[in-house]
Amino acid sequence: MPSACTSYLDDIEDIVTQDVNTARPLLDTGVVLRSKRNQKTKIQKVLGVELEDDTIQSNIPATQTIFVKTWGCTHNSSDSEYMAGQLASYGYNVVTENGDNADLWLLNSCTVKNPAEDHFRNMISKAQSLNKQVVLAGCVSQGAPKQSYIQGLSIIGVQQIDRVVEVVEETLKGNTVRLLKQKKENGRKIGGASLDLPKIRRNPFIEIISINTGCLNSCTYCKTKHARGNLGSYPVAEIVQRAIQSFGEGVVEIWLTSEDTGAYGRDIGTSLPELLWELVKVIPVGCMLRVGMTNPPYILDHLEEMGKILNHPNVYSFLHVPVQSGSDQTLHEMRREYTASDFELVVDTLRASVPGISIATDIICGFPTETDEDFEDTMTLCEKYKFPSLFINQFFPRPGTPAARMPQIHRQEIKKRTKRLSELFRSYEPYGHQLGKIQKVLVTEIAHDQIHYVGHNKYYEQVLIPMDEDLTGKMFEVEIVETGKHFLKGKRIDSSVPVTPVTVQPVPLGCVSVFSDQERPVERRRVLLNRRVILCIHFFFMVYLLYGVVFCLEIQLL
């Protein structure tokens, strides 16, 4: 690991400096700030008077605009939704499209690939060139907080997102805050911030629920473990309650997400099937549940139960199971803890027990120890199963991982292997057999072309439907009239009346989920009252300051 990362700890709060007066005493003991007092100096020069250190606050709280940018997985997306919801609930204006007019940029990073971290670094540089205040979140800043390009910037850890308002407030005042500590109960790591926080959903019809954080693996190429750490699961009851609340807010589809959903519950004495059986009890008719990525070692223990669950009418018959390589030797060097035959057992069993199931997988091309023979094993595996969704990744050495210290394969060879596998993937048509079939679809969004809705059938295959009528959030039958490499096109059957699975309208796009208002109205009123009090104090302070300036000028004239 490079020197910038050598002092990484699993459980840490980075210390910067202290001795600062804060507007509200919300920061826990041990959180340390660095204050910038140049604002006071500028005001003194303009007014020609001396001001006490604790009399200047440069910003009226919760009136600024915050730009939120997210990279990476659905877990990161969920974190950003929660952070945006808290900021908006407190009064900040949250934007996600253009940060040019924002006062602060909240950048939520991904550490899986070099390009993602490069984009993150470039956005930090852009923000600094525009003189924006910056708060960093996500796996990059959590896993390696001492990297040179993030020094002097505020960081909110992946398990501290419930404190984003504090960090933003202090950063807007010119302080540097770093909250990187893990959340624990009775000495045991837990899933993270509470699931009942307000959020701004990127799609009003879809709720993303993080069921656990971290994982049990120690893959030699993965840097996410540095940030998310070991497994920490949320209790079943909390996840179920969040699902119930989401359906009460107009959501029609739930995504379960984590670094490894298959490992869920192993730290708290439960399992993924136990959670799923409890969830299907509360899913309204017509609403759907999507299970997130699971690694092969942990799904192997539950193949029979998972088959039954994926056949449930309210659960998509879809599973993302990354294999990464078809070579046992390469899998061993990756420390993936399974063999190619284990993965094939997962696929064969689920395909037999869940007719039509769609299984997606990932491949890494060019892992340092991968020989030509190893890569041929991967090609053979992919040729055998012809996965409808195949995520092909070039290997990138991530700093601080064992794989980064191995002798690397030449970049051109990696590109060559990636091209061969991509050509294989393009050579077959995964959806041709669907042509002419009648299927139920649930519409949750509008396509990029702005002329089609995007719906999904039982197998979570993307179905495009013409925007001839209002179909968002509704389930109905279509006839498949066209198939492509990555999609199906459907025409609604006239006799199929679109049904809205839930009776309430979804929270409008860009608005905060109503959880905090309905369940904690007293706290909501307290926050609003405190904000009004602070605004009044600032108003009277400015009047007093102006009066003092006028008085000083009169004295000088005399």
Side-chain angles (χ1 to χ4, degrees):
M1 188 177 289
S3 59
C5 308
T6 52
S7 61
Y8 169 80
L9 296 176
D10 225 16
D11 188 358
I12 181 173
E13 289 203 11
D14 243 22
I15 293 180
V16 186
T17 67
Q18 198 167 4
D19 191 22
V20 159
N21 292 312
T22 59
R24 352 181 247 134
L26 295 181
L27 296 173
D28 290 347
T29 303
V31 178
V32 192
L33 312 173
R34 178 169 62 199
S35 177
K36 300 174 183 176
R37 303 190 181 277
N38 55 348
Q39 191 77 8
K40 178 175 78 74
T41 304
K42 291 179 182 178
I43 296 176
Q44 287 181 160
K45 288 182 179 179
V46 172
L47 298 180
V49 296
E50 292 292 327
L51 299 174
E52 295 296 328
D53 284 347
D54 59 356
T55 59
I56 290 295
Q57 296 292 341
S58 61
N59 295 291
I60 298 176
T63 59
Q64 295 85 3
T65 297
I66 312 299
F67 170 60
V68 179
K69 175 70 175 177
T70 310
W71 294 266
C73 63
T74 52
H75 197 162
N76 260 22
S77 295
S78 177
D79 287 350
S80 288
E81 288 182 349
Y82 277 127
M83 289 190 287
Q86 292 171 87
L87 291 168
S89 291
Y90 195 70
Y92 290 104
N93 178 37
V94 177
V95 297
T96 58
E97 297 299 326
N98 189 335
D100 290 351
N101 297 320
D103 300 283
L104 180 144
W105 286 16
L106 174 58
L107 307 177
N108 192 1
S109 61
C110 173
T111 192
V112 171
K113 301 177 185 177
N114 287 29
E117 185 167 349
D118 291 340
H119 289 310
F120 177 60
R121 184 187 295 108
N122 292 337
M123 285 295 285
I124 293 174
S125 298
K126 181 179 179 181
Q128 292 172 327
S129 69
L130 296 174
N131 294 317
K132 305 294 184 182
Q133 299 279 23
V134 179
V135 172
L136 307 180
C139 292
V140 172
S141 50
Q142 174 78 52
K146 295 187 181 298
Q147 291 189 85
S148 58
Y149 70 92
I150 63 177
Q151 292 307 297
L153 300 177
S154 291
I155 298 175
I156 183 163
V158 294
Q159 287 202 300
Q160 299 290 332
I161 61 171
D162 54 341
R163 302 177 65 183
V164 65
V165 171
E166 303 168 47
V167 176
V168 165
E169 279 194 310
E170 294 301 330
T171 303
L172 285 168
K173 296 176 201 171
N175 300 322
T176 297
V177 186
R178 294 191 165 196
L179 304 180
L180 299 171
K181 196 171 184 179
Q182 289 185 350
K183 289 187 179 295
K184 295 183 178 181
E185 287 183 359
N186 301 320
R188 181 186 63 79
K189 180 184 176 184
I190 60 174
S194 173
L195 293 178
D196 67 3
L197 295 170
K199 63 161 54 178
I200 297 179
R201 298 185 181 95
R202 63 178 184 178
N203 185 328
F205 295 100
I206 298 175
E207 169 73 3
I208 305 173
I209 303 179
S210 302
I211 62 174
N212 56 269
T213 189
C215 67
L216 296 174
N217 285 19
S218 298
C219 301
T220 55
Y221 58 82
C222 181
K223 200 172 180 181
T224 304
K225 183 69 173 278
H226 292 202
R228 298 282 182 178
N230 291 322
L231 183 66
S233 301
Y234 286 98
V236 170
E238 290 184 20
I239 298 169
V240 171
Q241 181 56 44
R242 182 70 205 189
I244 294 172
Q245 179 62 37
S246 300
F247 293 127
E249 295 173 354
V251 163
V252 298
E253 186 170 292
I254 286 182
W255 296 358
L256 301 184
T257 186
S258 74
E259 285 66 58
D260 187 352
T261 59
Y264 170 80
R266 289 181 174 240
D267 56 326
I268 58 173
T270 185
S271 68
L272 179 62
E274 290 181 37
L275 168 64
L276 295 177
W277 283 125
E278 291 301 313
L279 281 171
V280 296
K281 294 177 183 177
V282 302
I283 300 177
V285 175
C287 291
M288 297 300 290
L289 173 68
R290 190 189 82 172
V291 181
M293 186 273 288
T294 175
N295 283 310
Y298 308 112
I299 200 67
L300 276 168
D301 295 340
H302 308 299
L303 286 179
E304 184 178 349
E305 283 299 294
M306 288 302 299
K308 295 176 183 177
I309 292 166
L310 295 174
N311 273 313
H312 192 282
N314 296 117
V315 180
Y316 284 117
S317 297
F318 165 84
L319 203 59
H320 179 193
V321 188
V323 63
Q324 307 300 7
S325 174
S327 163
D328 287 349
Q329 183 59 41
T330 302
L331 291 173
H332 175 73
E333 297 289 343
M334 289 178 171
R335 293 186 196 159
R336 290 291 288 170
E337 301 182 10
Y338 59 88
T339 64
S341 60
D342 290 333
F343 174 78
E344 292 189 18
L345 176 61
V346 171
V347 177
D348 293 341
T349 302
L350 291 178
R351 282 188 172 182
S353 61
V354 187
I357 187 173
S358 178
I359 295 179
T361 196
D362 298 8
I363 297 291
I364 296 175
C365 292
F367 184 80
T369 65
E370 184 184 68
T371 65
D372 290 339
E373 292 75 15
D374 294 329
F375 181 68
E376 290 304 323
D377 289 340
T378 297
M379 292 289 292
T380 300
L381 180 74
C382 294
E383 171 69 30
K384 176 180 179 180
Y385 288 103
K386 291 183 170 60
F387 300 101
S389 294
L390 181 62
F391 303 102
I392 304 169
N393 304 290
Q394 296 183 34
F395 173 79
F396 285 98
R398 303 299 292 126
T401 62
R405 298 191 291 269
M406 298 176 182
Q408 303 295 304
I409 296 176
H410 194 278
R411 202 84 232 151
Q412 286 303 114
E413 178 61 26
I414 294 177
K415 291 180 179 178
K416 177 182 174 182
R417 294 177 186 180
T418 303
K419 182 180 179 181
R420 279 193 62 200
L421 188 55
S422 298
E423 289 172 347
L424 170 63
F425 177 62
R426 289 193 296 268
S427 70
Y428 57 86
E429 170 56 69
Y431 302 126
H433 65 286
Q434 303 277 32
L435 191 63
K437 289 191 174 181
I438 307 300
Q439 298 179 339
K440 280 188 177 181
V441 298
L442 177 62
V443 171
T444 54
E445 58 185 313
I446 297 174
H448 292 299
D449 63 11
Q450 299 297 307
I451 61 175
H452 289 93
Y453 287 118
V454 177
H456 291 92
N457 59 19
K458 177 69 166 69
Y459 317 107
Y460 202 70
E461 295 161 343
Q462 181 173 270
V463 182
L464 303 179
I465 302 106
M467 292 177 62
D468 298 331
E469 54 186 314
D470 182 13
L471 298 173
T472 51
K474 298 176 181 178
M475 179 174 280
F476 50 91
E477 288 186 332
V478 299
E479 178 185 359
I480 303 302
V481 296
E482 183 182 342
T483 64
K485 180 63 180 177
H486 302 286
F487 68 90
L488 305 166
K489 282 189 178 180
K491 179 182 178 181
R492 186 173 74 81
I493 296 176
D494 293 338
S495 60
S496 176
V497 178
V499 175
T500 303
V502 292
T503 58
V504 297
Q505 290 296 313
V507 178
L509 184 65
C511 294
V512 181
S513 66
V514 297
F515 190 94
S516 58
D517 292 336
Q518 290 183 344
E519 299 297 322
R520 294 196 297 270
V522 174
E523 179 181 338
R524 175 70 172 166
R525 290 197 297 269
R526 178 182 60 78
V527 170
L528 292 172
L529 179 61
N530 287 349
R531 192 183 311 150
R532 294 190 185 104
V533 170
I534 292 172
L535 289 172
C536 289
I537 292 173
H538 277 276
F539 173 76
F540 286 113
F541 169 74
M542 294 304 297
V543 171
Y544 176 78
L545 184 63
L546 290 173
Y547 176 81
V549 171
V550 172
F551 179 78
C552 291
L553 290 175
E554 289 178 349
I555 294 295
Q556 291 178 359
L557 290 174
L558 292 175

